[in-house]
Amino acid sequence: MIANPAQKYRRFEPIQLPDRQWPNQVIEKAPIWMSTDLRDGNQALIDPMSVETKIRYFKALVGMGFKEIEVGFPSASDTDFNLVRRLIEENLIPDDVTIEVLTQARQDLIERTVESLKGARRAILHMYNPIAPGFRKIVYNTDKAGVKEIAERGTRWVKALTDQHPETQWVYQYSPEVFSSTEVEFAKEVCDAVSAIWQPTVENKMIINLPATVEMSTPNTYADQIEWMHRNLNHRDSIILSVHPHNDRGTAVAAAELAVMAGADRVE
């Protein structure tokens, strides 16, 4: 038994941003809202939803006014793959709504993901890979260059495979997973490398999503991280900066609000 459990963990070290601007900002317009309920919410259930249930849920989210909806992880299960196919083949996606799907940075999974989206008018393909120190060391047994190469290689696969289907308007979203515990300088390096491959433009932006995969700090620290990235990312005018705060500490809503003040354009 640990005599003093509080000594087991080191405190989270905030980044240095003495000239932070977000505390003085006022939110004057709503961010882009992207619903993750059909994916994040579903994976937390003991009994995952069926395709029919997910379709009813999708229609409810459309009715609420969401214009971007992450509908699933089509390479991870037949249920999610079949859901995406049903939405497209049965013309259930309104013209002003864009579906999003998630994939890891593996070629076979990206291939399956692109296959699920054939025939879609517009789709957001969301690829991620963890880049935080713990994942580099424990999960991948590699270094910064190793996880950066995973992101770059995956992005090249996404670009090559989506280029084969010009009938769909593709939007690429990249997440440096576990951003919340990653060195911001390295997160920028990886995101800049990804955007250099994708080559977004002001007219055809890509999405950089910065998740608080584990809510390790208070919302003001997350806001500092977002503002630092907002101020330092390359091609910022060609990027939609998105945030995905988890709720481990119960402050995800506050983190999202402060992140928008700090420069985020979109909230998942």
Side-chain angles (χ1 to χ4, degrees):
M1 183 175 180
I2 302 175
N4 188 352
Q7 294 181 348
K8 181 179 180 181
Y9 302 102
R10 291 176 295 178
R11 69 180 183 181
F12 186 85
E13 294 296 332
I15 66 171
Q16 297 302 311
L17 195 68
D19 61 338
R20 61 182 59 82
Q21 301 298 309
W22 64 261
N24 298 320
Q25 300 305 310
V26 176
I27 299 175
E28 296 182 340
K29 66 176 183 177
I32 300 167
W33 295 105
M34 200 284 288
S35 166
T36 64
D37 301 85
L38 280 169
R39 197 267 300 172
D40 262 359
N42 187 59
Q43 68 188 22
L45 299 177
I46 295 175
D47 297 313
M49 292 181 281
S50 66
V51 172
E52 294 297 336
T53 301
K54 287 189 172 193
I55 287 175
R56 291 200 301 273
Y57 203 153
F58 176 80
K59 290 179 178 178
L61 292 170
V62 170
M64 293 176 190
F66 284 101
K67 302 304 180 184
E68 294 185 359
I69 302 172
E70 189 171 54
V71 294
F73 203 145
S75 65
S77 74
D78 288 340
T79 300
D80 277 14
F81 184 93
N82 292 335
L83 168 67
V84 178
R85 294 311 309 152
R86 286 275 302 273
L87 291 174
I88 295 169
E89 292 171 0
E90 297 181 15
N91 198 28
L92 298 176
I93 307 167
D95 289 344
D96 63 345
V97 172
T98 301
I99 60 170
E100 174 174 321
V101 295
L102 184 68
T103 183
Q104 295 161 322
R106 282 174 37 190
Q107 186 172 17
D108 59 330
L109 302 183
I110 295 170
E111 288 175 349
R112 179 73 167 162
T113 302
V114 172
E115 182 183 353
S116 77
L117 291 167
K118 286 182 179 178
R121 177 191 57 80
R122 186 174 190 267
I124 301 170
L125 196 155
H126 177 191
M127 191 198 81
Y128 74 96
N129 70 296
I131 66 170
F135 281 81
R136 299 195 302 256
K137 179 180 179 181
I138 299 168
V139 178
Y140 289 113
N141 190 28
T142 189
D143 55 10
K144 289 181 177 179
V147 294
K148 179 181 176 183
E149 173 57 25
I150 292 171
E152 293 175 313
R153 186 172 60 231
T155 301
R156 293 189 191 98
W157 285 331
V158 172
K159 189 170 182 60
L161 288 163
T162 55
D163 281 349
Q164 296 174 20
H165 299 279
E167 69 278 5
T168 296
Q169 181 185 352
W170 297 100
V171 178
Y172 182 46
Q173 174 172 328
Y174 173 70
S175 287
E177 187 71 355
V178 207
F179 165 78
S180 49
S181 60
T182 301
E183 310 92 326
V184 288
E185 295 85 0
F186 181 56
K188 166 184 158 55
E189 180 182 337
V190 175
C191 291
D192 286 347
V194 166
S195 66
I197 293 169
W198 191 257
Q199 291 291 300
T201 64
V202 174
E203 294 76 23
N204 294 293
K205 298 182 180 183
M206 70 172 290
I207 301 167
I208 294 290
N209 183 57
L210 304 176
T213 310
V214 180
E215 195 177 31
M216 304 178 67
S217 62
T218 49
N220 60 297
T221 298
Y222 184 57
D224 281 353
Q225 293 174 313
I226 300 304
E227 181 173 329
W228 192 96
M229 293 291 284
H230 166 61
R231 290 162 61 172
N232 288 283
L233 278 173
N234 291 347
H235 311 298
R236 180 63 184 91
D237 62 349
S238 300
I239 287 170
I240 296 170
L241 189 61
S242 176
V243 294
H244 187 134
H246 283 199
N247 202 41
D248 309 79
R249 298 166 62 108
T251 57
V253 173
E257 183 175 2
L258 297 190
V260 172
M261 293 168 64
D265 308 303
R266 178 178 185 263
V267 176
E268 294 193 355

